[in-house]
Amino acid sequence: MKIITKAVLQSLLAGILLGLVLKFFIVDIVHIRGSSMEPTFKEGSAVLVNKLSYGLVQPFGNRTVLRWAEPEAGDIVIFMHEGNLVIKRCVATAGSPLEYYYDNGYNLAVNGQIFPLSELQYGNMAAAGQIPDGMILAVGDNPAASIDSRDYGFIPVYNVLAKAMAPKKAGR
């Protein structure tokens, strides 16, 4: 029977500590559930996320405790909503104007993009003429299958926890 030496035990503990620091503060893996981010991410995909993109994330929390950057339009962001990690694309940031119109259904135009709205979504959003300060509009890349800001409102910037390490979608 081999005896574990003090050096081996210290190396093992250092490795575990390093792994925990990486997981809680620097990088993580998010698994995609559903089709809201297709075609960018398929259901079941594992996505590497950078937790240091926008700030220092509170471990086991739903916000950043120190922020040094904010999401930009086109970023794929990870945030908490009703206790769940959510991955969506930031399509507009604070101050971006929102235009609504009816053409065979309700629509939202922002930053040169058009998103369909249900009557309920239109009713929830139509009062906003622009993205409020400290907020973003986050929509799935497959808007028809996505439950997103059109349903539950704008996302506070401080709740954006990470940025997906993925290429920007063409045209966004």
Side-chain angles (χ1 to χ4, degrees), residues 1 26 29 41 46 61 63 82-83 87 108 119 140 168:
M1 182 165 112
I26 300 173
I29 296 174
F41 300 119
R63 61 179 29 210
E82 295 183 352
I87 184 167
L108 166 65
E119 189 172 350
K168 288 194 175 194

Side-chain angles (χ1 to χ4, degrees), residues 100-122:
Y100 305 93
Y101 65 93
Y102 188 87
D103 181 22
N104 292 329
Y106 294 100
N107 294 283
L108 166 65
V110 60
N111 289 342
Q113 300 173 75
I114 298 171
F115 299 98
L117 298 174
S118 69
E119 189 172 350
L120 180 60
Q121 290 169 332
Y122 174 78

Side-chain angles (χ1 to χ4, degrees), residues 42-94:
K42 303 282 185 204
E43 184 169 5
S45 298
V47 178
L48 191 63
V49 299
N50 181 351
K51 289 186 168 185
L52 291 177
S53 291
Y54 306 118
L56 185 61
V57 176
Q58 175 187 2
F60 307 107
N62 62 356
R63 61 179 29 210
T64 51
V65 292
L66 178 63
R67 183 159 291 278
W68 46 73
E70 294 197 359
E72 297 177 4
D75 288 355
I76 299 174
V77 297
I78 292 78
F79 56 92
M80 292 293 285
H81 177 70
E82 295 183 352
N84 295 308
L85 278 178
V86 178
I87 184 167
K88 302 290 179 195
R89 189 173 299 274
C90 173
V91 296
T93 58

